[in-house]
Amino acid sequence: QVQLVESGGGLVQPGGSLRLSCTARDFTFGVYAITWFRQAPGKEREGVSCIRSSVGTTYYADSVKGRFTISRDSAKNTVYLQMNNLQPEDTATYYCAVKVVVPNYLTWAIAHEYDYWGQGTQVTVSS
């Protein structure tokens, strides 16, 4: 059973930065995608950024382009989300998820198509 463990959330002031980590345990898939989603209270879960395992293709939501960067360390089975210039609207619980059928630019942010989920890490942006 794949386990995804997120870390790195916290409280930060507007304009600040955080780096989230998602470590996959008992992970044996050769080709996959890992995506960060977020969900704020009363809102739907939103795809934030995705990285595909094969060639490292990345996708970003328009709301985070230029501020967030997704990356991976394959040796550590870890994906990172570097979040810069955080704003109050970025406040949410952030989840990482794995999809074993690699998505494309049209499907990467469809939450119900993901196979495994982490427990989430809270990010709060407030002064």
Side-chain angles (χ1 to χ4, degrees):
Q1 182 70 20
V2 174
Q3 287 186 317
L4 301 175
V5 180
E6 301 105 330
S7 62
L11 172 65
V12 65
Q13 293 186 342
S17 298
L18 286 173
R19 189 178 79 157
L20 305 183
S21 299
C22 172
T23 299
R25 298 173 179 167
D26 298 324
F27 195 75
T28 60
F29 304 113
V31 179
Y32 57 91
I34 293 185
T35 295
W36 285 97
F37 288 85
R38 66 186 180 186
Q39 189 165 21
K43 294 188 177 181
E44 292 188 357
R45 194 162 293 192
E46 171 192 24
V48 175
S49 183
C50 171
I51 187 164
R52 292 170 44 168
S53 67
S54 55
V55 294
T57 302
T58 58
Y59 305 112
Y60 294 92
D62 287 343
S63 59
V64 306
K65 281 180 182 176
R67 301 188 298 126
F68 292 10
T69 302
I70 193 169
S71 62
R72 62 181 177 175
D73 184 335
S74 298
K76 296 182 178 180
N77 265 358
T78 298
V79 169
Y80 303 98
L81 185 69
Q82 177 65 44
M83 305 186 296
N84 296 330
N85 191 21
L86 283 160
Q87 300 300 318
E89 54 265 34
D90 296 314
T91 295
T93 302
Y94 284 70
Y95 302 88
C96 64
V98 167
K99 181 174 168 66
V100 299
V101 176
V102 176
N104 58 33
Y105 72 98
L106 292 174
T107 61
W108 70 270
I110 301 175
H112 68 256
E113 294 193 354
Y114 280 73
D115 304 288
Y116 302 96
W117 291 83
Q119 82 287 352
T121 186
Q122 179 67 36
V123 171
T124 302
V125 185
S126 175
S127 55

